[in-house]
Amino acid sequence: MHCPYCRHPDSRVVDSREVEEGSAIRRRRACPECSRRFTTVETAVLSVVKRSGVTEPFSREKVIRGVRRACQGREVDDDALNKLAQQVEDAVRAKGSPEIPSHEVGLAILGPLRDLDEVAYLRFASVYRSFSSAGDFEREIADLRRHRADSTLPAGADQN
C-alpha cells in the first residue's frame, strides 16, 4: 500500500476492524518513511457475468433502477427499494463466489420483489422470464396465490 502523502511503497497496519456489518475491513496504517497515518477500507469485489460474457462490478443502483421500472405507478418508496437491493446483494454474496452470473442476480430479485409488490413482481418476472402468452401470466399468478396461501398458514401447519 503506497503512502498517500510521500508515495512510499510500504506501510504498516496499526489497527484493523470490520465495518459495514462485516462486508468491509477498515485498516489504520502508518508510513515508515514519513510517519504519517492514514486509513484504508477494503471490500471484496463482487462481479456480475453477463450473458455476453462481459464482467462488471455488482451495482445496487442497477438493481434499484431495474426494480423501480417494474414498480412504476405503484406505491413503493425508496427505502423499500434500498432494502430490496441490500437483500439481493446479501443473497448473491452469500453464494461465496467472487463472480455471479447475471441470471442469478435476477433470481435473487424475484423473491424479495414478490413479497414487496405482487404487480411489480409480475412485471419484472414477465420480462425476466420472457413471458410469451397469457398462459405464462396465469401460471405465475397461480404460483403467487399458492405462495400467499403458504405464507399465511400458522407455523407448523400442514402445507398440502
Side-chain angles (χ1 to χ4, degrees):
M1 177 92 236
H2 288 275
C3 172
Y5 303 107
C6 71
R7 304 301 300 156
H8 185 72
D10 197 15
S11 63
R12 182 174 57 88
V13 175
V14 178
D15 181 44
S16 292
R17 295 181 186 190
E18 284 187 7
V19 292
E20 298 176 24
E21 298 176 3
S23 64
I25 297 175
R26 178 188 160 277
R27 296 197 196 281
R28 192 75 179 133
R29 296 175 175 269
C31 175
E33 187 69 23
C34 69
S35 300
R36 295 185 73 180
R37 291 185 173 205
F38 57 98
T39 301
T40 59
V41 178
E42 300 171 19
T43 57
V45 175
L46 178 63
S47 298
V48 177
V49 181
K50 300 175 98 173
R51 278 185 234 148
S52 65
V54 174
T55 301
E56 64 181 41
F58 175 85
S59 167
R60 276 193 217 167
E61 286 305 313
K62 195 166 181 179
V63 170
I64 291 170
R65 277 194 310 270
V67 173
R68 184 174 278 133
R69 278 191 298 263
C71 292
Q72 225 167 5
R74 307 293 300 161
E75 302 240 351
V76 177
D77 64 13
D78 286 342
D79 287 341
L81 293 177
N82 286 325
K83 183 178 175 188
L84 182 140
Q86 180 64 53
Q87 289 173 312
V88 170
E89 183 174 358
D90 291 346
V92 295
R93 282 192 186 278
K95 295 194 180 286
S97 176
E99 290 187 343
I100 188 97
S102 60
H103 175 75
E104 290 191 32
V105 175
L107 289 175
I109 290 170
L110 288 172
L113 184 55
R114 179 183 56 217
D115 296 335
L116 178 65
D117 187 278
E118 290 179 345
V119 172
Y121 168 79
L122 283 172
R123 289 175 179 170
F124 189 88
S126 71
V127 172
Y128 181 72
R129 294 185 174 152
S130 303
F131 287 8
S132 59
S133 69
D136 292 337
F137 280 95
E138 289 169 348
R139 279 187 293 282
E140 198 64 43
I141 290 169
D143 285 346
L144 263 174
R145 287 183 175 141
R146 272 193 301 280
H147 173 75
R148 190 183 320 141
D150 289 349
S151 65
T152 59
L153 289 174
D158 192 13
Q159 298 180 9
N160 288 339

